Amino acid sequence: MSITTRSNKEATRREVDRAIRSGGGDWRPLAFQGLLLLALITSFGILVVLLTDIVTNAWPTIQARGFSFVTDGLSLNPETAGVFTGIIGSVIIASIVALLAFPIGISAAVYLEEYAPDNRRTRFVDTTVRNLAGVPSIVYGLLGLAMFVPLVRMIGLGGSTGGKNILAAGITMAALVLPIVIITSIEAIRSVPATIREAGFGVGATQWEVIRSHVMPSALPGILTGTVLTLARAFGETAPLLVIGVATGYFAPAGDASILDRLTGPYTALPVIVFSWSRQTQAAFADTLAPAAIVVLLIVLFLLNGAAIWLRNRAEKRW
Amino acid sequence: MSDRSPNDAVSGESALFDGAARAPEVDAARVTGGSPDNTHDVIISLEDVDVYYGDFHAVDSVSVPIREKEITAFIGPSGCGKSTVLRTINRMNDLIPTARVEGSVTYHGVDLYGGNVDPVQVRRHIGMVFQKPNPFPKSIYDNISFGPKIAKYDGNMDDLVEESLNRAALWDEVKDKLDDSAYALSGGQQQRLCIARAIATSPDVLLMDEPASALDPIATLRIEELMYELKQDYTIIIVTHNMQQAARVSDRTAFFNIDIQNGQRAGRLVEFSETATLFTTPSEKTTEDYITGRFG
Ligand SMILES: Nc1ncnc2c1ncn2[C@@H]1O[C@H](COP(=O)(O)OP(=O)(O)OP(=O)(O)O)[C@@H](O)[C@H]1O
Ligand SMILES: [Mg+2]
């Protein structure tokens, strides 16, 4: 090897070395990264402070009452008051939502995505549904008061509350989450690769067979995640319930009341209990019982979110 | 039909490896396909077929007769409408809302676009294999059995699955893992699975849109051998960018090109003849330019 080529090589090496090393100097990428980190720390910090505050306040109740706080019903006595009535109310509302909003929402999404002709009217419906998802929940409360409460009364299920019962609440919540169910289902259906559809049609499947055997199974993980998250919404919403006449006071149905009487009578829900306790003049309710109820509510929401993630992973892992 | 064996069919093996990006010369010695004996009847006939996507005139007045139990190849530059023409034959273009087909496509003399014709039934007679392997996200077994199941097949499903996989030369590789996901197979295996899936519904005709374009040379070779076998029972139409492939496997070749008239681009059929003729003594200058790589 001659000296010239070697020195050439050396020169090349130095040049490459310089070219591929980072220039240092530029502070902007670092600053940007710092800003992003700051944003993360801020939002996370707020969450931590909030949680710490709630749990600290709730701690005396949690310690003194333990699990009986969850299994005891409402009471005027802070020593014995629990959230059980609210949990039952919220579970019933969520069940009505699941029963009404899921089938209707998923069907509407399938229709919009698979059957509706791609024209102005369809696009108008699509846009409207998306806008409805952003309507403040209190507006749905007004809708419930104007339509669903009379509806429940009309079909003879008004009971002692004249329609301002848990059935009307469930229907109102279902209407509230319906646009979200439709949108998440549409997105899930859209994300099914076109090649799978083509494959189905290619072997002579009808549209219905393609949807049932290929599109829906592939879209299911996304649909499940979205719908379970709407249950969390149904659990947490308070404002519409206040509008359509949830009981914020205390009631104790007679021990021998029939199931129908209970369903059509006064009711309450978990977030409503938080709301009404925090406005109590009796110090114990606002100071420690309300935070404890919040802790219960948060645990329910975490469980629902966990269930959504679990369902998605399970459905996705199949293939 | 001539008695060439599948091995003869791929005797141009070295041509597979010469790696030229596009249309390397196909010399006469490599043309192993294409001297059909004209004993087969026309099974599908396209006459003056025009296809529009919205206002766009994609295919202009194409007429091709497809003969039974032959392999017909569609070749031509990208965008000249090969896939579009292919998809008119099993009405896959129905799935594209903007697509419109004019002219006549007949199958055994029946107008495929006539009133009362159910595209679903058409696709059960005219199966399709796509460019990219597209198995269902299901087990290997379910991939094969789906088509027969919806067609209310009443024989023994296990036997049918085995037979289909056998015909697609895949059985030995997958017989121990029929319940595994089809996605666990290699690309070449997936494509053979798709071929098995297409023949499981026992169609008459197989449409193959660049079935080997995503595959390596060995897998490509297997698909070509397979086509050669399948030709005994099926009529095959294959779209390919691979000139050697067309020359090796097909009996007849249709060359399409993009024609620009009055500033409008449209795909037209330039030449259709026996493969040997088209590749050795094409009658059109453009065909010659294309197959010898002196194109554009
Ligand atoms: N769904 C569609 N909507 C609108 N135009 C389309 C559609 N599909 C194809 N085209 C147009 O029609 C023409 C023919 O397309 P086609 O896919 O049939 O070509 P091709 O010969 O198969 O090309 P390639 O070899 O690249 O696959 C092209 O100009 C293409 O842009
Ligand atoms: Mg194509």
Side-chain angles (χ1 to χ4, degrees), chain B residues 104-273:
Chain B
S104 109
V105 184
T106 57
Y107 168 63
H108 286 294
V110 180
D111 182 4
L112 287 179
Y113 287 82
N116 285 335
V117 171
D118 181 0
V120 169
Q121 296 303 328
V122 171
R123 294 181 200 126
R124 287 181 186 172
H125 289 91
I126 305 176
M128 185 151 196
V129 177
F130 298 84
Q131 174 165 359
K132 283 219 311 244
N134 59 350
F136 299 127
K138 296 185 188 301
S139 71
I140 293 171
Y141 187 98
D142 289 346
N143 260 276
I144 308 291
S145 65
F146 176 71
K149 213 181 283 166
I150 55 176
K152 312 233 157 34
Y153 175 73
D154 54 7
N156 184 321
M157 190 62 84
D158 291 352
D159 291 347
L160 179 67
V161 169
E162 177 172 349
E163 190 199 320
S164 306
L165 286 168
N166 244 325
R167 305 211 61 173
L170 189 60
W171 173 250
D172 290 334
E173 287 156 73
V174 302
K175 63 173 182 251
D176 298 324
K177 45 179 182 180
L178 292 177
D179 290 328
D180 286 11
S181 165
Y183 284 4
L185 298 175
S186 76
Q189 289 173 326
Q190 287 187 15
Q191 194 61 304
R192 274 179 283 146
L193 179 69
C194 292
I195 294 174
R197 180 178 68 189
I199 55 188
T201 54
S202 44
D204 263 353
V205 181
L206 274 181
L207 308 178
M208 302 179 141
D209 193 348
E210 301 185 48
S213 68
L215 305 184
D216 68 79
I218 305 290
T220 303
L221 219 63
R222 299 211 58 172
I223 303 272
E224 287 180 15
E225 287 176 7
L226 182 59
M227 287 170 57
Y228 215 83
E229 299 274 316
L230 294 175
K231 179 170 121 160
Q232 311 301 320
D233 300 300
Y234 301 92
T235 306
I236 298 176
I237 307 176
I238 176 179
V239 171
T240 178
H241 275 280
N242 182 329
M243 227 60 57
Q244 289 83 19
Q245 187 169 64
R248 276 194 302 268
V249 302
S250 72
D251 296 294
R252 292 170 208 273
T253 300
F255 170 60
F256 293 85
N257 197 4
I258 304 169
D259 214 8
I260 303 178
Q261 278 180 6
N262 316 325
Q264 301 275 61
R265 300 156 52 89
R268 285 202 180 79
L269 179 68
V270 175
E271 186 167 352
F272 174 64
S273 52

Side-chain angles (χ1 to χ4, degrees), chain B residues 53 56 58-59 76-85 96 98 131 209-210 239 241 265:
Chain B
Y53 292 109
F56 176 62
V59 170
S78 189
C80 67
K82 306 177 296 291
S83 301
T84 302
V85 172
I96 302 167
T98 56
Q131 174 165 359
D209 193 348
E210 301 185 48
V239 171
H241 275 280
R265 300 156 52 89

Side-chain angles (χ1 to χ4, degrees), chain A residues 29-49:
Chain A
L30 260 180
F32 188 57
Q33 208 177 336
L35 271 177
L36 296 178
L37 187 65
L38 195 68
L40 177 69
I41 292 174
T42 312
S43 39
F44 198 70
I46 292 175
L47 187 70
V48 168
V49 169

